[in-house]
Amino acid sequence: MTTSLDRARCRLKAHPFALDAALAVGVLVCMVVGSFVGPRGQSGVSWAVRTPALLSLVLITLGAAALVLRRRAPRTV
């Protein structure tokens, strides 16, 4: 009897590119959301929304996209 976890493992082994792409998307979302938040405050931490530079967004995207290639070129990534 196979469980849903076993079926998921088989699918991920059959499609490792999909796993890497999902990982890259998750990392991209976290980094982009984090780039819009800036810590500010004199007596502690209070968070404020800021606008990140275009270059930082481009570099974040390239960094996350490199994760897709992590199985094919691990040293390069």
Side-chain angles (χ1 to χ4, degrees):
M1 184 163 121
T2 61
T3 64
S4 60
L5 184 59
D6 291 332
R7 288 191 300 267
R9 285 184 184 150
C10 287
R11 278 189 227 129
L12 290 176
K13 284 183 182 179
H15 304 287
F17 182 77
L19 174 64
D20 293 343
L23 175 68
V25 168
V27 168
L28 177 66
V29 167
C30 290
M31 288 193 303
V32 168
V33 168
S35 71
F36 280 94
V37 178
R40 300 174 194 254
Q42 295 175 346
S43 62
V45 177
S46 62
W47 297 94
V49 177
R50 67 181 180 95
T51 304
L54 180 62
L55 179 61
S56 67
L57 292 175
V58 169
L59 292 174
I60 286 170
T61 304
L62 289 175
L67 290 174
V68 176
L69 304 173
R70 71 186 183 99
R71 291 182 202 262
R72 293 189 185 202
R75 285 189 176 194
T76 305
V77 171

